[in-house]
Amino acid sequence: MSQNLRIALTKGRLQDQSVELFEAMGLDCSPIRDPGRRLIHALPNYPLEAVLAKAPDVITYVEHGVCDLGVVGKDTILEKGGSFYEVLDLGFGQCRFALAVQEGSDFYGTYKTRRVASKYPNVTRRFFEGKGMDVDIIKIEGSVELAPLLHLADGIVDIVETGSTLKANGLVPIEDVAQVSARLIVNTASMKLHKELIEDFIRRCEAELEKRREEA
Ligand code: PRP
């Protein structure tokens, strides 16, 4: 466990908004803004090191305690699970999981076992288990929208943000599965070992989120 806190940030979509939030909390994030090929960045004015990682790895690092904190999407938390505290909804990275089908197709209008493609097989399984419905789930690694177009699947469960990817491919969302946004997660042992530092970080986060809510 590090002397300073260490936080794992999800690279890509959530990275910029995480940095904006931290800067608004008074943290100098210039090393993350200009990361080059470096993967670990010490912040100059706060006892925090930031690690940039893929979403599922953020959970792995926090679970193992090599990072005390993490910023990761609820989508990854729902899919991967794990043992950590989920302490704050950070309010950004908002989107939803939806079941989508080809326009005009009647997903529920048959007794045949449906095939559903997804990058999120656990989320998909639980969704249909909740309905008492038996479906075949096909795991796809990227651009899952292709699966119904190629007639591999009757539907997909995927992230919908603006809806433009579905629309561009003649697909329509027919049911919401879960709401998604970025979450702050904390290693369970770190919460005790670095109580004061972590509480300070969470307090700053909460204050900024409250300010944003008031301004909205
Ligand atoms: C996600 C998701 C959809 C798209 C939805 O993919 O899998 O394809 O975004 O966004 P929209 O509703 O705004 O069109 P992402 O771009 O994250 O790429 P990925 O396939 O690498 O996960």
Side-chain angles (χ1 to χ4, degrees), residues 4 18 27 30 50 55-56 67 75 79 89 98 102 108 122 124 149 159-160 193 198 215:
N4 287 353
S18 304
L27 280 57
S30 45
C67 291
D75 51 335
E79 180 61 22
D89 182 341
Q102 274 192 296
Y108 288 114
N122 294 326
T124 305
L149 303 183
I159 295 290
V160 180
L193 285 169
I198 289 180
E215 283 167 7

Side-chain angles (χ1 to χ4, degrees), residues 39-50:
L39 296 170
I40 304 183
H41 306 277
L43 303 194
N45 70 343
Y46 195 81
L48 184 71
E49 267 181 4

Side-chain angles (χ1 to χ4, degrees), residues 45-64:
N45 70 343
Y46 195 81
L48 184 71
E49 267 181 4
V51 168
L52 299 171
K54 282 202 172 192
D57 296 340
V58 168
I59 291 183
T60 301
Y61 296 144
V62 171
E63 264 203 299
H64 285 269

